[in-house]
């Protein structure tokens, strides 16, 4: 999974861009006074105060202990909690009243984990209570997970349990992609259009002839290319009264602040066998969708397209096969301007991720705007 964020300055929805003490107290978080905290902030980070607030500047690189095949969960949690835009939403949740409600509330348990990671002095903490909370919502533990599917599950639980409508709106603006799907009969004038939202763009690694797509940009262009539905894929046309050839196309309407791209590395053969595509796919640190997609592949005005410039923010990587493997996350720290590798409880700084072709394990990326100017 690749996660990317907008480079240009989209106006953020948040009515409270700075985390104030009353909001932190509402979430039962113990913090020092603003005066004491400000003294702890390094001079180079003073410019971030007006954007993030004092508490968010404590986003330190802390690992998460593996509870038993929880590397996928750990990697996704690191991607969520290292995203200051997300933690600013998380800090303003309504705290459930009863102990039972708090134990089963995913946003609250994620907030407690965030505070434990930021306030503690350990190199790693255990996400035990959050894992128990997820189990109450039928999220299986001690099993192999698909990162894209688990990412969707976590996001749905967060959205469902955030009681404030403005926070749900901000969460959607942060992650949700809007597309329009077209179906046009090639025998008559019948055409149908429908809008839908997606959390990730599932990008192919191969084209229709099973040839490798060479770059991330190629994969994006291929995803939005029209496809002719023929043979067994023909659709029933109500106007023609029979199955006919249809032209199916997807057009991009709106992109979020954090764009999540899922590289589809699992390949299904006619023999019902599944295997993993192990070739590398080069991707850039900066991505401008205006230069990648054509006018026919977009349904957006110039103001919307002006926000379609992204920088690489995080990569969730899987190494192994379809039946077993291991996940880790590479995340750019917006406050420290450094890349970190999160491998469960082990955390280390890595060199800048830029214009390189990664190994076969890379599966999901996020891109994000650089609010810090680093």
């Amino acid at each position: 999974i690749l996660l990317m964020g907008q480079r240009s300055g989209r106006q953020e929805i948040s009515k409270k861009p700075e985390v104030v003490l009353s909001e932190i107290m509402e979430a039962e978080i113990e913090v020092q006074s603003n005066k004491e905290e400000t003294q702890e902030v390094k001079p180079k980070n003073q410019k971030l105060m007006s954007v993030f607030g004092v508490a968010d500047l404590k986003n330190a690189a802390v690992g998460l202990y593996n509870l038993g095949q929880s590397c996928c969960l750990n990697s996704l949690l690191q991607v969520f909690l290292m995203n200051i835009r997300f933690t600013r939403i998380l800090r303003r949740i309504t705290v459930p009243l009863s102990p039972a409600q708090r134990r089963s509330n995913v946003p609250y348990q994620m907030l407690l984990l965030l505070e434990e990671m930021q306030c503690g002095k350990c190199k790693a903490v255990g996400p035990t209570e959050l894992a128990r909370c997820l189990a109450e919502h039928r999220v299986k533990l001690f099993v192999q997970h698909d990162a894209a599917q688990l990412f969707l599950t976590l996001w749905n639980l967060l959205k469902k349990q955030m009681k404030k409508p403005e926070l749900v709106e901000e969460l959607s603006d942060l992650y949700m992609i809007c597309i329009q799907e077209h179906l046009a009969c090639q025998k008559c004038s019948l055409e149908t259009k429908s809008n839908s939202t997606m959390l990730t763009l599932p990008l192919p690694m191969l084209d229709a002839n099973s040839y490798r797509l060479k770059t991330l940009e190629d994969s994006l262009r291929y995803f939005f290319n029209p496809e002719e539905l023929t043979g067994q894929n023909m659709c029933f046309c109500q106007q023609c009264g029979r199955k006919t050839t249809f032209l199916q196309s997807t057009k991009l309407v709106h992109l979020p602040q954090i764009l999540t791209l899922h590289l589809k590395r699992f390949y299904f053969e006619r023999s019902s066998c599944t295997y993993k595509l192990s070739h590398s796919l080069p991707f850039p640190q900066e991505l401008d969708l205006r230069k990648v997609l054509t006018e026919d592949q977009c349904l957006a005005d110039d103001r919307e397209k002006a926000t379609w410039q992204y920088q690489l923010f995080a990569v969730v990587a899987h190494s192994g096969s379809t039946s077993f493997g291991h996940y880790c996350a590479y995340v750019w720290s917006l406050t420290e301007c450094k890349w970190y590798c999160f491998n469960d409880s082990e955390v280390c700084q890595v060199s800048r991720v830029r214009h390189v072709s990664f190994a076969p394990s890379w599966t999901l990326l996020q891109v994000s705007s650089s609010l810090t100017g680093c």
Side-chain angles (χ1 to χ4, degrees):
I1 300 179
L2 293 89
L3 297 95
M4 293 188 163
Q6 293 159 343
R7 292 181 54 210
S8 56
R10 175 193 288 268
Q11 184 66 34
E12 303 222 15
I13 294 178
S14 174
K15 297 180 180 179
K16 298 182 180 181
E18 294 157 359
V19 179
V20 296
L21 188 59
S22 60
E23 295 169 337
I24 300 174
M25 291 176 63
E26 179 187 28
E28 298 184 349
I29 303 169
E30 295 181 3
V31 297
Q32 300 173 349
S33 66
N34 284 347
K35 180 178 180 181
E36 292 174 342
E37 288 180 326
T38 303
Q39 293 173 350
E40 297 176 359
V41 180
K42 296 181 180 180
K44 68 176 182 178
N45 284 331
Q46 294 291 346
K47 63 178 180 177
L48 306 180
M49 292 293 297
S50 62
V51 180
F52 299 130
V54 178
D56 284 319
L57 292 179
K58 289 185 173 183
N59 267 24
V62 177
L64 294 171
Y65 288 114
N66 194 313
L67 305 178
Q69 299 190 65
S70 65
C71 57
C72 183
L73 174 63
N74 287 350
S75 298
L76 292 173
L77 289 176
Q78 294 287 9
V79 170
F80 272 119
L81 299 181
M82 287 292 288
N83 187 339
I84 298 177
R85 290 173 177 159
F86 173 76
T87 59
R88 281 170 50 191
I89 297 173
L90 197 63
R91 291 180 185 281
R92 290 154 47 214
I93 65 172
T94 300
V95 177
L97 297 177
S98 70
Q101 289 176 326
R102 289 195 289 270
R103 284 193 298 270
S104 62
N105 188 275
V106 174
Y108 178 73
Q109 290 299 328
M110 194 176 287
L111 179 60
L112 292 184
L113 178 62
L114 171 66
E115 289 307 307
E116 185 179 2
M117 295 171 72
Q118 290 186 344
C119 299
K121 296 182 180 180
C122 301
K123 74 165 189 175
V125 299
T128 308
E129 295 304 318
L130 176 57
R132 288 173 179 168
C133 174
L134 293 173
E136 290 189 25
H137 296 281
R138 299 182 179 180
V139 178
K140 293 182 179 180
L141 304 179
F142 315 114
V143 297
Q144 294 283 341
H145 280 286
D146 174 74
Q149 184 60 49
L150 186 57
F151 182 60
L152 176 62
T153 300
L154 291 173
W155 193 89
N156 284 333
L157 288 171
L158 287 165
K159 182 181 178 182
K160 180 181 179 180
Q161 294 189 302
M162 283 188 179
K163 301 301 182 182
K164 297 180 180 179
E166 64 271 21
L167 297 187
V168 175
E169 184 179 354
E170 289 181 38
L171 192 65
S172 296
D173 189 66
L174 189 59
Y175 288 108
M176 291 305 296
I177 305 160
C178 182
I179 60 172
Q180 187 175 93
E181 296 176 291
H182 290 235
L183 272 177
C185 177
Q186 300 301 284
K187 298 294 183 181
C188 67
S189 59
L190 182 67
E191 183 177 6
T192 60
K193 302 177 182 179
S194 61
N195 287 349
S196 60
T197 57
M198 309 171 69
L199 186 62
T200 66
L201 283 181
L203 301 182
M205 300 285 290
L206 305 175
D207 63 16
N209 297 317
S210 297
Y211 289 115
R212 296 179 182 180
L213 296 170
K214 296 181 179 180
T215 65
L216 181 69
E217 291 89 339
D218 290 340
S219 186
L220 278 164
R221 280 188 284 265
Y222 189 80
F223 178 83
F224 286 99
N225 276 346
E227 179 184 3
E228 194 171 59
L229 303 179
T230 60
Q232 295 181 345
N233 296 322
M234 289 195 301
C235 301
F236 182 82
C237 177
Q238 293 181 342
Q239 193 162 297
C240 296
R242 58 188 178 87
K243 283 188 175 184
T244 62
T245 300
F246 270 72
L247 187 67
Q248 182 184 49
S249 62
T250 301
K251 300 181 185 295
L252 191 56
V253 178
H254 170 76
L255 288 177
Q257 298 171 40
I258 304 294
L259 174 61
T260 307
L261 307 175
H262 175 211
L263 304 185
K264 297 170 64 177
R265 289 195 172 274
F266 293 144
Y267 183 75
F268 300 91
E269 286 189 329
R270 294 180 180 179
S271 59
S272 299
C273 293
T274 304
Y275 67 93
K276 185 177 178 179
L277 300 172
S278 58
H279 63 274
S280 62
L281 185 76
F283 58 85
Q285 185 191 17
E286 296 183 355
L287 181 66
D288 190 341
L289 270 295
R290 300 172 302 176
K291 298 178 180 179
V292 176
L293 303 181
T294 66
E295 289 293 329
D296 292 337
Q297 295 172 324
C298 306
L299 280 178
D301 56 26
D302 291 339
R303 184 178 179 182
E304 167 68 26
K305 289 181 180 179
T307 67
W308 290 4
Q309 300 176 69
Y310 290 88
Q311 288 182 327
L312 185 63
F313 167 66
V315 182
V316 177
H318 177 267
S319 57
S321 66
T322 57
S323 56
F324 65 90
H326 180 68
Y327 279 98
C328 61
Y330 293 77
V331 187
W332 173 253
S333 171
L334 291 174
T335 55
E336 297 180 271
C337 298
K338 298 177 182 177
W339 280 100
Y340 284 99
C341 172
F342 295 91
N343 186 2
D344 288 332
S345 59
E346 298 297 324
V347 181
C348 65
Q349 185 179 339
V350 294
S351 59
R352 188 174 178 83
V353 181
R354 186 165 190 163
H355 296 283
V356 291
S357 174
F358 283 102
S361 60
W362 299 84
T363 57
L364 188 143
L365 301 98
Q366 270 190 357
V367 282
S368 171
S369 60
S370 176
L371 293 177
T372 67
C374 296

